[in-house]
Amino acid sequence: MNYKICYVFALAFFDAAIIPAALLDMPEPFLVPCDVGDLQCLKRSTKLFLSHTYKGIPSIDILPIDPLSISGVDVPFQGDNLVYSNKNITMIGLSSQTLEALKMDLRTRSVALTTSADVYIRGDINQVNRNLGRSVAGHFRTSGSVLCTALYSYTFGRDGMDVEHYVVGPETISCEVVDTPVVSFSSPLAETCNDTFCPEEIKQLWKTNFSKIMEKAYVTVVHNIRAAAKVLPATAFFKNPHGNGN
């Protein structure tokens, strides 16, 4: 059954004015209903969802993720004595995420969602070393592979037409860089990063900085899942949202 046709027909029957224009414009559904444990189906559904939504759909509050703009991320180290202040960040690559795992506990109504991505990031950075009383700013470019996991709970709600939807709760996000990311700096950072201002463990610190930028970006990824759940029935995501026999 094509959930989009059925749902939009129901909306039209009650009130045409509340049909999201984005749903009417879609040439095909942007999700494939899957069984909870069918990872291959979920991979296809994730790919389809990203292909239709990565540019954003303002009418249903789905935000663009590729490219993704982030105003700023501050990453403290050494008890706040060293801070990487990242600004004006642009990220490319989130539209090509791959679903790696989705663990869904129907009893506790909790989800662990993990995706991988190869991303390119550019932006401005100000490295502040409070112990030395110095700071240096410049532009950075970096790329790498990352795994991000979002943990969240969910409940069910019904809209005015008694259609059941997922209600996605607050998320906890963690991201891990798979290998040491490639990074380059513009002047004056390029010259400064070899003297005593830059810590010896610069590569490890940059992996942490990269991960924190990714965690900020992943907030938008989860936001889009939440936004889609508000307008699509629960059965658009899973064939039997409550599990077999329920």
Side-chain angles (χ1 to χ4, degrees), residues 29-53:
F30 52 69
L31 285 170
V32 177
C34 298
D35 292 318
V36 170
D38 189 345
L39 183 60
Q40 294 308 310
C41 177
L42 290 166
K43 284 177 178 280
R44 292 194 301 272
S45 187
T46 300
K47 184 176 181 179
L48 184 63
F49 179 79
L50 291 171
S51 71
H52 282 307
T53 62

Short mmCIF file of all heavy atoms in Angstrom, two decimals, residues 29-53:
data_model
loop_
_atom_site.label_atom_id
_atom_site.label_comp_id
_atom_site.label_asym_id
_atom_site.label_seq_id
_atom_site.Cartn_x
_atom_site.Cartn_y
_atom_site.Cartn_z
N PRO A 29 7.00 8.12 -2.50
CA PRO A 29 7.19 8.24 -1.06
C PRO A 29 8.67 8.39 -0.74
O PRO A 29 9.53 7.85 -1.43
CB PRO A 29 6.64 6.92 -0.52
CG PRO A 29 5.72 6.42 -1.58
CD PRO A 29 6.30 6.88 -2.88
N PHE A 30 9.00 9.13 0.34
CA PHE A 30 10.41 9.24 0.68
C PHE A 30 10.81 8.36 1.84
O PHE A 30 11.85 8.56 2.46
CB PHE A 30 10.86 10.69 0.89
CG PHE A 30 10.07 11.52 1.86
CD1 PHE A 30 10.10 11.28 3.21
CD2 PHE A 30 9.34 12.60 1.39
CE1 PHE A 30 9.41 12.08 4.09
CE2 PHE A 30 8.64 13.41 2.27
CZ PHE A 30 8.68 13.16 3.62
N LEU A 31 10.00 7.32 2.09
CA LEU A 31 10.37 6.27 3.03
C LEU A 31 9.84 4.93 2.51
O LEU A 31 8.83 4.90 1.80
CB LEU A 31 9.77 6.52 4.42
CG LEU A 31 10.39 7.60 5.30
CD1 LEU A 31 9.50 7.86 6.51
CD2 LEU A 31 11.79 7.20 5.74
N VAL A 32 10.52 3.85 2.89
CA VAL A 32 10.04 2.50 2.60
C VAL A 32 9.66 1.87 3.93
O VAL A 32 10.52 1.73 4.81
CB VAL A 32 11.13 1.65 1.92
CG1 VAL A 32 10.62 0.23 1.70
CG2 VAL A 32 11.57 2.28 0.61
N PRO A 33 8.40 1.50 4.14
CA PRO A 33 8.03 0.84 5.40
C PRO A 33 8.77 -0.49 5.54
O PRO A 33 8.78 -1.31 4.63
CB PRO A 33 6.52 0.63 5.27
CG PRO A 33 6.08 1.60 4.21
CD PRO A 33 7.24 1.70 3.26
N CYS A 34 9.42 -0.70 6.70
CA CYS A 34 10.26 -1.88 6.90
C CYS A 34 9.83 -2.63 8.16
O CYS A 34 9.15 -2.08 9.03
CB CYS A 34 11.73 -1.46 7.06
SG CYS A 34 12.43 -0.63 5.62
N ASP A 35 10.25 -3.88 8.24
CA ASP A 35 10.18 -4.59 9.51
C ASP A 35 11.29 -4.04 10.41
O ASP A 35 12.36 -3.62 9.91
CB ASP A 35 10.38 -6.08 9.30
CG ASP A 35 9.20 -6.73 8.56
OD1 ASP A 35 8.05 -6.37 8.87
OD2 ASP A 35 9.45 -7.56 7.67
N VAL A 36 11.07 -4.06 11.70
CA VAL A 36 12.01 -3.43 12.63
C VAL A 36 13.42 -3.99 12.48
O VAL A 36 14.40 -3.25 12.51
CB VAL A 36 11.52 -3.59 14.08
CG1 VAL A 36 12.60 -3.16 15.07
CG2 VAL A 36 10.25 -2.77 14.30
N GLY A 37 13.57 -5.29 12.29
CA GLY A 37 14.90 -5.89 12.23
C GLY A 37 15.50 -6.03 10.85
O GLY A 37 16.59 -6.60 10.71
N ASP A 38 14.84 -5.50 9.83
CA ASP A 38 15.31 -5.66 8.45
C ASP A 38 16.28 -4.53 8.10
O ASP A 38 15.89 -3.50 7.56
CB ASP A 38 14.11 -5.67 7.51
CG ASP A 38 14.50 -6.04 6.08
OD1 ASP A 38 15.70 -6.02 5.76
OD2 ASP A 38 13.59 -6.35 5.28
N LEU A 39 17.57 -4.73 8.38
CA LEU A 39 18.56 -3.67 8.20
C LEU A 39 18.69 -3.27 6.74
O LEU A 39 18.86 -2.09 6.43
CB LEU A 39 19.91 -4.10 8.76
CG LEU A 39 21.02 -3.04 8.70
CD1 LEU A 39 20.64 -1.80 9.49
CD2 LEU A 39 22.34 -3.62 9.22
N GLN A 40 18.64 -4.23 5.82
CA GLN A 40 18.80 -3.90 4.41
C GLN A 40 17.66 -3.01 3.92
O GLN A 40 17.87 -2.06 3.16
CB GLN A 40 18.90 -5.18 3.57
CG GLN A 40 20.16 -5.99 3.84
CD GLN A 40 21.42 -5.16 3.73
OE1 GLN A 40 21.64 -4.45 2.75
NE2 GLN A 40 22.27 -5.24 4.75
N CYS A 41 16.45 -3.30 4.34
CA CYS A 41 15.31 -2.45 3.99
C CYS A 41 15.48 -1.07 4.60
O CYS A 41 15.24 -0.05 3.95
CB CYS A 41 14.01 -3.09 4.48
SG CYS A 41 12.52 -2.09 4.18
N LEU A 42 15.93 -1.02 5.85
CA LEU A 42 16.13 0.26 6.53
C LEU A 42 17.23 1.09 5.86
O LEU A 42 17.14 2.31 5.79
CB LEU A 42 16.46 0.02 8.00
CG LEU A 42 15.30 -0.51 8.86
CD1 LEU A 42 15.82 -1.03 10.20
CD2 LEU A 42 14.24 0.55 9.07
N LYS A 43 18.24 0.42 5.34
CA LYS A 43 19.28 1.12 4.59
C LYS A 43 18.70 1.77 3.35
O LYS A 43 19.00 2.93 3.03
CB LYS A 43 20.40 0.15 4.20
CG LYS A 43 21.36 -0.23 5.32
CD LYS A 43 22.36 -1.26 4.82
CE LYS A 43 23.37 -1.63 5.88
NZ LYS A 43 24.44 -0.62 6.00
N ARG A 44 17.85 1.02 2.62
CA ARG A 44 17.23 1.57 1.41
C ARG A 44 16.31 2.73 1.76
O ARG A 44 16.29 3.75 1.06
CB ARG A 44 16.43 0.48 0.69
CG ARG A 44 17.27 -0.62 0.09
CD ARG A 44 16.47 -1.45 -0.90
NE ARG A 44 15.29 -2.07 -0.28
CZ ARG A 44 15.29 -3.24 0.33
NH1 ARG A 44 16.43 -3.94 0.43
NH2 ARG A 44 14.19 -3.73 0.85
N SER A 45 15.57 2.59 2.85
CA SER A 45 14.65 3.65 3.26
C SER A 45 15.41 4.91 3.66
O SER A 45 15.01 6.03 3.31
CB SER A 45 13.79 3.17 4.43
OG SER A 45 12.80 4.11 4.75
N THR A 46 16.53 4.73 4.38
CA THR A 46 17.35 5.88 4.78
C THR A 46 17.91 6.60 3.56
O THR A 46 17.88 7.83 3.48
CB THR A 46 18.51 5.41 5.68
OG1 THR A 46 17.97 4.80 6.85
CG2 THR A 46 19.40 6.57 6.08
N LYS A 47 18.40 5.82 2.60
CA LYS A 47 18.95 6.41 1.37
C LYS A 47 17.89 7.19 0.61
O LYS A 47 18.12 8.31 0.12
CB LYS A 47 19.53 5.31 0.49
CG LYS A 47 20.22 5.83 -0.77
CD LYS A 47 20.86 4.70 -1.55
CE LYS A 47 21.56 5.22 -2.80
NZ LYS A 47 22.20 4.10 -3.56
N LEU A 48 16.68 6.63 0.53
CA LEU A 48 15.58 7.29 -0.17
C LEU A 48 15.18 8.58 0.56
O LEU A 48 14.98 9.63 -0.07
CB LEU A 48 14.38 6.34 -0.25
CG LEU A 48 13.16 6.83 -1.03
CD1 LEU A 48 13.51 7.04 -2.50
CD2 LEU A 48 12.02 5.83 -0.90
N PHE A 49 15.08 8.51 1.87
CA PHE A 49 14.72 9.69 2.67
C PHE A 49 15.73 10.82 2.46
O PHE A 49 15.35 11.97 2.23
CB PHE A 49 14.66 9.29 4.15
CG PHE A 49 14.31 10.43 5.07
CD1 PHE A 49 13.01 10.86 5.20
CD2 PHE A 49 15.30 11.06 5.81
CE1 PHE A 49 12.68 11.92 6.06
CE2 PHE A 49 15.00 12.10 6.67
CZ PHE A 49 13.68 12.53 6.78
N LEU A 50 17.01 10.49 2.52
CA LEU A 50 18.04 11.51 2.36
C LEU A 50 18.03 12.11 0.96
O LEU A 50 18.23 13.32 0.79
CB LEU A 50 19.42 10.91 2.66
CG LEU A 50 19.68 10.54 4.13
CD1 LEU A 50 20.98 9.75 4.26
CD2 LEU A 50 19.72 11.78 5.01
N SER A 51 17.77 11.28 -0.05
CA SER A 51 17.77 11.78 -1.42
C SER A 51 16.66 12.79 -1.66
O SER A 51 16.79 13.69 -2.49
CB SER A 51 17.65 10.61 -2.41
OG SER A 51 16.35 10.04 -2.38
N HIS A 52 15.55 12.66 -0.92
CA HIS A 52 14.42 13.57 -1.10
C HIS A 52 14.47 14.78 -0.17
O HIS A 52 13.78 15.77 -0.41
CB HIS A 52 13.10 12.82 -0.85
CG HIS A 52 12.67 11.96 -1.99
ND1 HIS A 52 12.56 12.42 -3.28
CD2 HIS A 52 12.31 10.65 -2.03
CE1 HIS A 52 12.15 11.45 -4.08
NE2 HIS A 52 12.00 10.36 -3.35
N THR A 53 15.25 14.68 0.91
CA THR A 53 15.14 15.71 1.95
C THR A 53 16.41 16.50 2.21
O THR A 53 16.38 17.48 2.96
CB THR A 53 14.69 15.08 3.29
OG1 THR A 53 15.70 14.13 3.71
CG2 THR A 53 13.36 14.37 3.15
#
